[in-house]
Amino acid sequence: MKKVMTFIMGTGLAIGLAACGGGGNNNNEDGGETTSAGAEQIYAQNCSSCHGENLEGRNGPKLEDVGSRLSKDEILDRIENGGTGMPPKIISGDDADKVATWLSEKK
């Protein structure tokens, strides 16, 4: 029964996250942006439906203090490779790095 519930919840999360994506380039007109502003926008577009608009958690865990639990590299690894119900590569490349840096500062 536990395996069935895990499968159902994992499948529901994967379907929900598949609908979340749709990044894109978030640079402003002059080609630059602050890491924090860019990261917040990327997070809002790709992560907030599961982790909450204010990092409070929803279907995914809260991230309000994730930087006190995980390093930037550990956060980036989770974003890139998924795990514990989170599918890999919801965001990637520079976007993933920006979000990992921003989240690592949440203590």
Side-chain angles (χ1 to χ4, degrees), residues 62-76:
K62 74 175 184 131
L63 301 176
E64 295 165 328
D65 61 350
V66 68
S68 66
R69 298 186 311 269
L70 300 173
S71 70
K72 179 207 175 218
D73 289 338
E74 291 170 321
I75 295 168
L76 183 59

Side-chain angles (χ1 to χ4, degrees), residues 25-35 38 94-95 98:
N25 191 345
N26 296 313
N27 291 338
N28 62 21
E29 289 182 24
D30 66 7
E33 66 180 29
T34 63
T35 302
D94 287 342
D95 287 353
K98 287 176 190 174

Side-chain angles (χ1 to χ4, degrees), residues 42-54 56 58:
I42 296 163
Y43 173 88
Q45 292 176 342
N46 299 283
C47 311
S48 64
S49 63
C50 292
H51 294 286
E53 291 177 23
N54 299 305
E56 73 275 13
R58 287 190 184 154

